[in-house]
Amino acid sequence: MVDLFAGTHLLGSWSGLLASLVLASLLVWLLPRSSQPKGKVPASLPDWLPGVGNAYRSIFHNRDFLDFARKNMKGRSIMKFWLGPKGVYLVTGAKNSQAILRNSGNLSSDELFFMVLAQLDAADQKDIDQFRADKSGRSHIPLNPVGPAGRIWEQNHRIFTDNLTTSKSVGVMIDKFLELFTATLEEQFPVGQSKSLRLYSFLKQEMARCAIVSLSGEEILKQNPGFIDAMWEFDTYVYPLIFGVPRLLYPKAYAARDVYHAMGAKFLTAAWEKFDWTSPDVDADWEPIFGTRFHRTHSKFLKDRGFALCTRSGMHIGTIWAQNANCLPATCWALIELIKDKSLFAAIRAEITTALDVNGKLDVKKLAELPLLQSVYVETLRLHVAVNITRQITDEMVLDGYTLKKDYLVQTPSLISHLDESIWSEPGHPASEFWAERHVTYVNTVDESGNQIRERQFSLAGRAGSFFPFGGGISICAGRHFAKQEVMAAVAFVVLKFDIELEGYVTMDGKMSERGPLDDAWYCGTAAMPPDRDLLVSLTRAG
Ligand code: HEM
Ligand SMILES: *[C@@H]1O[C@H](CO)[C@@H](O)[C@H](O)[C@H]1NC(C)=O
Ligand SMILES: *[C@@H]1O[C@H](CO)[C@@H](O)[C@H](O)[C@H]1NC(C)=O
Ligand SMILES: *[C@@H]1O[C@H](CO)[C@@H](O)[C@H](O)[C@H]1NC(C)=O
C-alpha cells in the first residue's frame, strides 16, 4: 500500500484516489471477459489488488507496473492483463517488438489515434465520427473503397508528412528555431558574465518559447500570456487523460485540459480574423500568425471539411504539446550528461566546432551528422523515452507461438527493448547506464594529407530494430526529424557558447536536494520522461 500512495499529490486528493480505485474495480468486474480462444494462450498477469486488475497501477504507476510485469513474466514473452474494459497483451522481446512494428496487416494504430483525438485533442464527437466513417485509411493507397465524403484521413495525414516531416519543412523550422534561441541566449547572457539558474526550469520557458514560435508563430503566445505554463500543467495529466479517466473522478486533469484548450480556441479565432487568405502569405514558409505552413494548411483543411473549432484548435495545441513534452526533457537529459562529465563536454565541444560555417554559425545539416553528438542523442532517447507502442488486433494473429485474439490491444513498451542487456550491453557498460560512445565505432582511414587517422562513425547497426522512441509504421512520429535537429542544435549552441558549473540539485519547487535527477516515473509510458530534480548551474558565456 505504501507504494500505492507515492505520488498521490498528483491526484489532488484522497477522494480522487479512492474514486479511481473504485472505478477501476467496477470496470473490471462489470465488463464481461470474453471466452478463451483455442491454441497456446498467453497467461494472465496476477491481479495486483484482488478485483482491481492492473488498470489503476498501469495507468498511475506505469514504471512500477513494468517492474511487476517483468518479475511475473519469468521468461514468458507475452502475458495478458486488463486495462479497464480492454484486454491487453503485453509483448516483450526485441524480435516480437519488431514484428509488431512491422505488421500492418493484422494490427492497427487507428484506435490510438481516436483515443488521442477524443481525450487529448478534446475533439467534437461528430468530427471523430467523420474520421471513423472514412474507411479508406491513412495511407496513400486506399485500404477500402473511398466513401462519398472523399479521403479525409489520408489528406490529414499528408499535411503532417508534407509540412512537418519533409526536410524542407524541417529546414524552415530549424532555421527559425536557431535564430530565436541564439538571440534569446545572447540577449540574456552578455559575454563574460555569469548567471545562476535552474536548468530545466529555464529550458521549459525559454527553449519552449523559441520552439513554439518556430513551429506555430507568435500569435498563440500573444493571445495567451500564460500559454507555456498551461501547456506544462496539461502535460502533467496526459497519461490518465489518454486512458479516459472520467472527469468526475479526476477533475484536476480536465481543468488543466480545459484551460489549455480555451487558449487554443482563442488563438485560432484570432488567427482566422487576422490572417488574410488572399495575401501571398498563404504560401509563405513562415509568417507570424500561423508560423510554418503546417498550421496554416491544417487549419484550412479542417475548416473546409467542416470540423468544429474545438477539434481544430485541439489538434493544433496537441501538436505543440507533442513537440515540447518530448524535446525539452531530451535536451535537458543530454545537457545533464555533459555537465556531469567534463571530458565528454570538451569532446563534444571540439566535435561541434567542425560543424560551423564560414560565419562561425552552426550548420545544422553538418551538426546532425556528427558521430559523438548523434550517439549522445540516441543514448538519451534510449534511456529516457518510455513509450508504449499500442496497436489493436484487427485479425487474429500468431506471435511467438501465441494466439492473439481480435479486438485486444497489444502493447510493447520501449523501455523493455531499450534496456535489453543482450542487445545493448558492452563490457563495462551495462544497458542501464549512459555511455556516450555506445553508438560510435572507430575506423582507420587516411586524411587529405595522407596521414593515418582514426575516425569516429555513428552506428546503430544490428540494433536499430530495438530502438523505437518514435514508434513505427503509419503512426510514426511526424516530428522525428525536427526533434533530432532541434535537440542537437540546442545542445550544440549551449555547449559551444557557455562554460557550465554545477552548483547543486533542487526539487522542482526549488528546495535543495541531496541527490541528482532521476526519470520522473509519473511520465513513464507517454514518451520522454523529464528529470525529477533540477540542476542549479552557473552559466558563463564563453564567446
Ligand atoms: C524526442 C522527441 C520526440 C519523441 C520521443 C516523440 C515520440 C512520439 C511517439 C512515440 C509518437 C507515437 C508514434 C506511434 O504511435 O507509433 C509520436 C507521435 C507524434 N509526434 Fe512525436 N516525438 C518527439 C518529438 C516531436 C516533435 C518535435 C513534434 C512536432 C514538431 C512531434 C509531433 C508528433 C505528432 C504530430 C504525432 C502524431 C502523429 C500522427 O498521429 O500522425 N513529435 N511522437
Ligand atoms: C504502456 O504499457 C504499460 C504496460 O503494458 C501499460 O500499463 C500502459 O497503460 C501503457 N501506456 C500506453 C500509453 O499505452
Ligand atoms: C507544404 O506542403 C505543400 C503541399 O504538399 C508543399 O507544396 C510545400 O512545399 C510544403 N512546404 C513546406 C515548407 O513544408
Ligand atoms: C493475419 O491474419 C490473417 C487472416 O486475415 C491470417 O491468415 C494470418 O496468419 C495472420 N498473420 C499472423 C502473423 O498471424
Side-chain angles (χ1 to χ4, degrees):
M1 290 305 274
V2 172
D3 147 64
L4 172 65
F5 294 117
T8 46
H9 58 289
L10 287 161
L11 280 175
S13 68
W14 293 75
S15 58
L17 169 74
L18 286 174
S20 311
L21 278 173
V22 170
L23 167 84
S25 47
L26 275 180
L27 284 176
V28 169
W29 275 354
L30 288 181
L31 287 148
R33 302 189 181 191
S34 35
S35 59
Q36 303 292 328
K38 292 161 200 79
K40 191 173 160 193
V41 172
S44 290
L45 281 168
D47 274 358
W48 163 66
L49 278 183
V52 179
N54 285 296
Y56 175 81
R57 181 177 244 209
S58 73
I59 294 180
F60 290 103
H61 295 276
N62 194 272
R63 189 130 196 185
D64 295 348
F65 175 77
L66 286 182
D67 289 342
F68 167 80
R70 227 178 318 203
K71 278 194 207 101
N72 279 283
M73 290 182 82
K74 296 192 189 91
R76 287 172 287 206
S77 62
I78 304 182
M79 284 187 86
K80 193 176 78 181
F81 73 101
W82 291 90
L83 192 59
K86 273 280 179 204
V88 185
Y89 297 115
L90 180 61
V91 176
T92 64
K95 255 189 23 229
N96 294 332
S97 299
Q98 286 171 46
I100 287 176
L101 285 170
R102 271 197 317 266
N103 187 324
S104 54
N106 304 44
L107 297 174
S108 153
S109 53
D110 294 357
E111 268 327 296
L112 197 71
F113 178 91
F114 293 128
M115 275 156 92
V116 169
L117 205 57
Q119 288 302 123
L120 289 191
D121 300 346
D124 194 273
Q125 189 57 45
K126 275 217 315 281
D127 296 339
I128 300 172
D129 293 344
Q130 205 186 149
F131 270 110
R132 265 191 201 282
D134 174 14
K135 304 285 184 207
S136 68
R138 275 186 261 190
S139 45
H140 184 57
I141 299 163
L143 285 177
N144 291 301
V146 180
R151 302 205 73 188
I152 298 168
W153 213 347
E154 182 259 356
Q155 287 197 25
N156 180 72
H157 187 73
R158 190 195 287 241
I159 294 167
F160 281 79
T161 46
D162 283 0
N163 286 160
L164 204 54
T165 314
T166 56
S167 68
K168 184 179 173 204
S169 53
V170 170
V172 170
M173 284 187 282
I174 202 73
D175 286 351
K176 193 76 195 171
F177 171 75
L178 203 51
E179 172 198 322
L180 295 168
F181 194 60
T182 303
T184 300
L185 290 190
E186 288 185 349
E187 190 187 299
Q188 295 197 15
F189 296 87
V191 177
Q193 286 184 25
S194 299
K195 195 153 117 185
S196 290
L197 50 82
R198 286 198 250 154
L199 183 67
Y200 192 45
S201 311
F202 178 81
L203 293 173
K204 271 172 86 177
Q205 289 297 324
E206 301 301 327
M207 180 175 160
R209 191 173 48 74
C210 300
I212 291 170
V213 174
S214 73
L215 171 65
S216 311
E218 291 162 358
E219 193 64 28
I220 192 158
L221 299 181
K222 264 196 208 138
Q223 290 292 330
N224 303 293
F227 184 81
I228 294 177
D229 291 330
M231 178 183 74
W232 292 120
E233 180 70 10
F234 170 75
D235 180 46
T236 313
Y237 301 109
V238 157
Y239 205 74
L241 281 173
I242 289 190
F243 286 99
V245 173
R247 185 184 279 266
L248 248 162
L249 299 179
Y250 204 180
K252 265 187 130 173
Y254 285 85
R257 192 183 79 166
D258 291 347
V259 170
Y260 189 49
H261 279 265
M263 291 182 173
K266 192 171 173 206
F267 153 65
L268 205 58
T269 307
W272 271 81
E273 265 169 34
K274 286 189 176 181
F275 192 75
D276 177 2
W277 290 95
T278 62
S279 79
D281 269 0
V282 170
D283 294 322
D285 283 343
W286 193 93
E287 47 73 32
I289 297 179
F290 287 105
T292 58
R293 275 282 278 260
F294 170 69
H295 285 304
R296 229 178 301 133
T297 315
H298 200 210
S299 188
K300 179 131 186 9
F301 164 74
L302 294 172
K303 193 158 198 279
D304 288 350
R305 290 303 182 106
F307 285 101
L309 178 70
C310 64
T311 309
R312 289 183 275 139
S313 55
M315 289 180 90
H316 285 303
I317 57 173
T319 305
I320 297 176
W321 165 78
Q323 171 194 28
N324 291 286
N326 291 303
C327 286
L328 273 286
T331 305
C332 193
W333 277 118
L335 285 172
I336 287 171
E337 295 299 343
L338 302 185
I339 292 168
K340 280 200 310 211
D341 181 344
K342 283 196 182 325
S343 67
L344 177 61
F345 191 98
I348 288 281
R349 188 185 270 179
E351 193 190 45
I352 291 165
T353 56
T354 66
L356 297 176
D357 67 16
V358 286
N359 303 314
K361 290 206 177 348
L362 287 171
D363 177 336
V364 182
K365 291 246 154 54
K366 272 195 199 157
L367 196 70
E369 301 293 315
L370 296 177
L372 190 57
L373 187 60
Q374 280 191 89
S375 181
V376 166
Y377 175 69
V378 166
E379 199 60 353
T380 302
L381 298 190
R382 184 179 71 80
L383 288 170
H384 302 290
V385 174
V387 68
N388 275 320
I389 303 310
T390 302
R391 300 284 186 261
Q392 179 149 36
I393 302 174
T394 52
D395 257 315
E396 183 168 286
M397 64 182 283
V398 177
L399 185 64
D400 211 8
Y402 293 97
T403 302
L404 307 186
K405 289 193 347 177
K406 182 169 154 54
D407 291 334
Y408 277 54
L409 297 178
V410 283
Q411 289 198 321
T412 185
S414 63
L415 271 190
I416 293 183
S417 285
H418 285 190
L419 298 178
D420 191 329
E421 293 292 342
S422 70
I423 309 252
W424 302 102
S425 183
E426 301 268 356
H429 302 285
S432 55
E433 281 175 16
F434 178 91
W435 180 38
E437 303 239 359
R438 196 180 300 275
H439 318 289
V440 167
T441 55
Y442 287 87
V443 290
N444 291 320
T445 164
V446 278
D447 67 10
E448 293 115 62
S449 344
N451 304 315
Q452 285 278 341
I453 52 163
R454 245 177 121 229
E455 196 183 66
R456 274 195 204 114
Q457 279 181 1
F458 170 75
S459 167
L460 256 179
R463 292 166 165 177
S466 303
F467 179 67
F468 45 86
F470 298 108
I474 190 94
S475 65
I476 194 167
C477 174
R480 63 197 181 282
H481 302 309
F482 181 55
K484 179 180 177 188
Q485 297 194 16
E486 181 188 326
V487 172
M488 287 172 85
V491 169
F493 187 75
V494 171
V495 169
L496 194 64
K497 297 289 179 177
F498 293 92
D499 292 325
I500 307 178
E501 287 301 324
L502 177 63
E503 296 181 329
Y505 300 114
V506 286
T507 60
M508 287 305 166
D509 46 18
K511 299 188 189 74
M512 292 310 289
S513 167
E514 293 292 304
R515 67 161 175 91
L518 299 170
D519 286 321
D520 189 336
W522 171 256
Y523 295 84
C524 183
T526 41
M529 292 179 283
D532 68 349
R533 294 287 186 275
D534 212 339
L535 273 69
L536 207 55
V537 290
S538 152
L539 293 190
T540 309
R541 176 111 165 263

